[in-house]
Amino acid sequence: MSDFDPTAYLPDDLLERIRERAPIHDRENTFPQPDLDDLKAAGYLAILVPSQRGGAGLTLAQAAILQQRLAGAAPATALAINMHLVWTGVAKVFSDRGVPGLEFVQDGAVAGEVFAFGISEAGNDLVLFGSDTAAVPDGDGGYAFTGTKIFTSLAPVWTRLGLHGLDTTSADAPKLVFAFVERTDAVTTGDDWDTLGMRGTQSRTTRLDGAVADAAHVVRRIDPGPTPDPIVFGIFSVFEILLASVYTGIARRALELAVLSAGKRRSKKTGAAYSQDPDIRWRIADMALAYDALPPQIAALARDVDERADNGARWFSLLSGVKHRAITMAKRVVDEAMLVGGGGSYFSANELSRLYRDVLAGAFHPSDPESAHATAASFWLGPVAD
């Protein structure tokens, strides 16, 4: 990866355009359609698609670097695009391991389709291991899905929604069904995304009333509960790594802004720039020490996925752990950057003010702190006794 040039996929001028638009979409609570148009034109939606299918053929480790870079310009845009990249990343996990079934995702991404992530459900702490959405077989290998999905990023623009539901009626039920549905009259997108931060993601509630996935777009039928099935590993690994990347990118940008602020602000008492103040220097050094730990961790785990490393039962604690550390680190770094920036950081026009709100969203993505700690404890201590 030493010869990988991120600017070939996210040029500086493209990032600056995206950065300039970010406060507008945050203020107006709108989806960043121009960002999507520019990224689509740059081939960004297909960065994880193999070159032989028309994509850029990048690795997950390379995509993680790009997502850190994109998040530094516009966190909400990066987080929204993340959800599309999750599905193309899962398709890559499948193809790398010789598992068929998601070629249509790769071909669709090359053709400009936008894939959204419809897994989250209110109150469903089973997440990938269960669903409150009903999946009813149609007798021809397809399914009709009825239920409600929350936090559906890319809500105004997706062309296919990847989701799961529970089949309770087949002879081998219960089975969790993973499939893709198109946007039809059976799918209703709410207008309920009015949040503290990450406003540009437009992660609205999606209601399904018999939304049909035909047999060709039913990807997996598995038993509910923890399983090593490729669909669960693929989603969990790509989701956690790319999510950690977005929040690590936010932290990097906050650190950069703190450094700029320290260079510009001057002490009335001494006349020196705050960059010479020992307390400010210590604070920025502390931010850097926290930030510097995450990019290598993300790179190592992403490389393990790319190279099909055998981390066995430790995989899930490693993946949830890197997400948890990225979120807690990013929040800490942004908090410190606000202090370095002084009172000006408190004004809504300040970029740090937006980062301060955006970074708070990290706590609400799976794996949450409770789940991450429980997963780590289970690996090191074994399951809780009955």
Side-chain angles (χ1 to χ4, degrees), residues 109-132:
V110 171
E113 287 205 66
V114 179
F115 294 88
F117 193 70
I119 298 296
S120 296
E121 299 168 343
N124 179 17
D125 57 357
L126 293 171
V127 195
L128 288 175
F129 301 149
S131 175
D132 293 327

Side-chain angles (χ1 to χ4, degrees), residues 146-170:
T146 298
T148 301
K149 302 292 184 177
I150 61 172
F151 297 133
T152 314
S153 300
L154 301 164
V157 297
W158 61 261
T159 59
R160 290 187 190 270
L161 178 67
L163 65 132
H164 71 342
L166 189 64
D167 175 0
T168 61
T169 61
S170 293

Side-chain angles (χ1 to χ4, degrees), residues 76-293:
T77 296
L79 186 60
I81 295 299
N82 237 34
M83 303 311 164
H84 168 89
L85 293 179
V86 166
W87 284 123
T88 60
V90 175
K92 174 176 166 53
V93 168
F94 271 40
S95 61
D96 285 351
R97 289 156 178 77
V99 180
L102 283 174
E103 292 81 5
F104 70 89
V105 169
Q106 296 175 328
D107 295 340
V110 171
E113 287 205 66
V114 179
F115 294 88
F117 193 70
I119 298 296
S120 296
E121 299 168 343
N124 179 17
D125 57 357
L126 293 171
V127 195
L128 288 175
F129 301 149
S131 175
D132 293 327
T133 297
V136 180
D138 65 6
D140 293 318
Y143 275 87
F145 293 86
T146 298
T148 301
K149 302 292 184 177
I150 61 172
F151 297 133
T152 314
S153 300
L154 301 164
V157 297
W158 61 261
T159 59
R160 290 187 190 270
L161 178 67
L163 65 132
H164 71 342
L166 189 64
D167 175 0
T168 61
T169 61
S170 293
D172 59 351
K175 290 288 184 181
L176 269 180
V177 182
F178 291 81
F180 288 78
V181 301
E182 297 180 356
R183 192 187 289 273
T184 66
D185 290 342
V187 180
T188 303
T189 300
D191 188 12
D192 56 352
W193 190 248
D194 188 8
T195 52
L196 183 66
M198 289 293 187
R199 288 159 64 82
T201 65
Q202 289 302 301
S203 304
R204 306 173 185 178
T205 299
T206 302
R207 295 178 178 83
L208 310 163
D209 186 15
V212 173
D214 59 32
H217 298 116
V218 174
V219 178
R220 219 70 178 167
R221 292 178 76 255
I222 62 175
D223 293 332
T227 171
D229 191 272
I231 191 70
V232 172
F233 174 77
I235 291 174
F236 198 81
S237 60
V238 179
F239 185 93
E240 298 290 76
I241 287 170
L242 292 184
L243 197 69
S245 300
V246 167
Y247 287 91
T248 298
I250 293 174
R252 172 60 182 250
R253 180 59 178 169
L255 177 57
E256 292 171 348
L257 291 173
V259 170
L260 289 172
S261 179
K264 291 177 180 178
R265 299 179 68 207
R266 305 190 79 84
S267 169
K268 287 287 186 181
K269 184 185 300 184
T270 67
Y274 275 106
S275 59
Q276 303 305 306
D277 182 285
D279 293 328
I280 296 296
R281 293 176 68 84
W282 182 91
R283 195 179 295 279
I284 288 178
D286 200 47
M287 294 163 61
L289 291 169
Y291 162 77
D292 283 344

